[in-house]
Every structure is written in C-alpha cells, then in structure tokens.
Amino acid sequence: MATNITFHPGSVSADERATLLSQRGLTLWLTGLSGSGKSTIACALEQHLLHLGKAAYRLDGDNVRFGLNKDLGFSPKDREENIRRIGEVAKLFADACVIAITSFISPYRADRDLARALHAQGNLPFIEVYVDAPLAVAEERDPKGLYKKARKGEIPEFTGISAPYEEPEGAELHLRTDELSVEGCVKKIMEYLAEKGYVKV
C-alpha cells in the first residue's frame, strides 16, 4: 500500500469542464443476471448517445477482464475487487464529463453501494439500472452457454445458480427485458436522463 502520495487537484473546476464540453458526466450502472440483456442494452445506448453528439463509453464486464482485471477470478473477494476497480474507472470517466455505461452482473448490493459512494464523493451522478429478466428467461436465452455449463457443475460460483444475486432495492430504473425490447429499454433510459436534466434530447 502506497503511503507517500498526495492528491493533486487540477486547475479546471467540474462546472467549468462541464460548461466547456457542453456535457455533464455521469455513470449508468447496468446490473443483472447473465443473459438479462445488459451488454445488448449498453451497446445500443452507447450508439444512441454518440449519434446525439454525446461523449459516451461502455465498460463491459467481459471486456474489462481481458485487461484491467485479468488477474481476478470469480470468488466473492475477486468479484468485490472487480467492481471496486470498475467503480473507480467509471468515476474517472464521469469526472471527465463522459457518460460511462457499465454492464456488470455486480451481484452484491454492498459492492454496488460502494460504487455509488465513490461517485457521491465527487458529486457525480450514479444511476443504477436493474436489467431484470427472470432466471428462467435468462437461462433460456443463455447466449454464451454458461447456464448449461453451470448446471453441469463445470462453472463454480455462477451467479443465479451456485452463487447469489442480490436484487437492487433502490435502483433509479428497473427494466424488465422479458417485457421490453432493446429499443424500449433505451427509450426509458433516455427519458430518465432528459427528465433529470442530464441530457437534452
């Protein structure tokens, strides 16, 4: 643990940066079971925002594990560290006035609450989006074939089967992907952002 370090604030205030870039940064934290539709919605939302001229970037659970978090497994401790790091990265993006879109299972409330608290320290909006599909629906979709492997015992500690998923209790948005299309989910997110004054549509 480093001890001889000092935080160096920049010469540009958050308000000045937002004014100069004509955009306020924030984090949209998509959480839900594997196969619930998080990555699909995140991709569509990112594209929609970019076509509106907004700076947006998607942080995908699998993609991040190829680099930043390649040293982590799927134990509870590693899952906690995985989300802690992503919370820090998303905070940096939001601080830079980028709309960060994260799509991680992030199964534990305490870890999601930590990510929220990190953003609160910087007065940065954190919007939790519960991408909700019943387990039976997510398992039927099974785009990566992971549920089949988990049912056979080939994947230990798989969320929803042999490891828990703690549903959000106070998410800003709740999207039922067994009832809404991808376009419908993006529309609901954009309506929320517009209603809160984060994005002008």
Side-chain angles (χ1 to χ4, degrees), residues 37-85:
K38 299 181 302 300
S39 294
T40 302
I41 293 169
C43 286
L45 178 61
E46 179 186 41
Q47 185 178 58
H48 184 75
L49 286 165
L50 289 170
H51 278 277
L52 290 176
K54 306 300 179 184
Y57 192 80
R58 177 178 56 91
L59 295 163
D60 181 81
D62 281 356
N63 294 355
V64 170
R65 283 183 177 272
F66 277 102
L68 178 67
N69 292 347
K70 68 187 301 182
D71 60 321
L72 299 176
F74 290 91
S75 69
K77 183 177 179 181
D78 280 358
R79 285 177 183 269
E80 179 183 352
E81 176 61 13
N82 182 54
I83 298 306
R84 187 196 69 80
R85 292 183 194 178

Side-chain angles (χ1 to χ4, degrees), residues 106-127:
S106 47
Y108 303 119
R109 290 191 196 102
D111 297 340
R112 299 191 300 265
D113 289 345
L114 175 61
R116 183 185 292 275
L118 285 171
H119 285 68
Q121 290 171 9
N123 195 30
L124 299 164
F126 181 92
I127 301 160

Side-chain angles (χ1 to χ4, degrees), residues 15-191:
D15 288 342
E16 183 181 3
R17 189 187 303 275
T19 299
L20 291 170
L21 296 176
S22 300
Q23 179 173 316
R24 186 179 182 190
L26 57 91
T27 291
L28 288 155
W29 191 279
L30 277 60
T31 175
L33 293 171
S34 177
S36 61
K38 299 181 302 300
S39 294
T40 302
I41 293 169
C43 286
L45 178 61
E46 179 186 41
Q47 185 178 58
H48 184 75
L49 286 165
L50 289 170
H51 278 277
L52 290 176
K54 306 300 179 184
Y57 192 80
R58 177 178 56 91
L59 295 163
D60 181 81
D62 281 356
N63 294 355
V64 170
R65 283 183 177 272
F66 277 102
L68 178 67
N69 292 347
K70 68 187 301 182
D71 60 321
L72 299 176
F74 290 91
S75 69
K77 183 177 179 181
D78 280 358
R79 285 177 183 269
E80 179 183 352
E81 176 61 13
N82 182 54
I83 298 306
R84 187 196 69 80
R85 292 183 194 178
I86 295 309
E88 294 281 5
V89 171
K91 177 185 174 183
L92 291 173
F93 272 90
D95 191 45
C97 290
V98 174
I99 297 174
I101 307 165
T102 76
S103 53
F104 292 78
I105 294 173
S106 47
Y108 303 119
R109 290 191 196 102
D111 297 340
R112 299 191 300 265
D113 289 345
L114 175 61
R116 183 185 292 275
L118 285 171
H119 285 68
Q121 290 171 9
N123 195 30
L124 299 164
F126 181 92
I127 301 160
E128 188 175 26
V129 183
Y130 179 21
V131 183
D132 182 10
L135 177 59
V137 173
E139 197 165 352
E140 184 179 339
R141 291 172 180 167
D142 203 11
K144 304 172 187 175
L146 299 178
Y147 283 102
K148 289 180 181 177
K149 291 182 179 179
R151 289 291 186 188
K152 293 178 182 177
E154 296 174 8
I155 303 178
E157 301 195 63
F158 187 78
T159 302
I161 304 298
S162 52
Y165 177 79
E166 298 174 356
E167 296 184 4
E169 295 180 331
E172 282 75 11
L173 284 167
H174 185 173
L175 305 177
R176 284 289 302 264
T177 60
D178 57 328
E179 300 173 355
L180 285 169
S181 65
V182 174
E183 294 77 15
C185 290
V186 170
K187 183 173 183 288
K188 279 193 170 293
I189 294 172
M190 292 303 302
E191 287 173 348

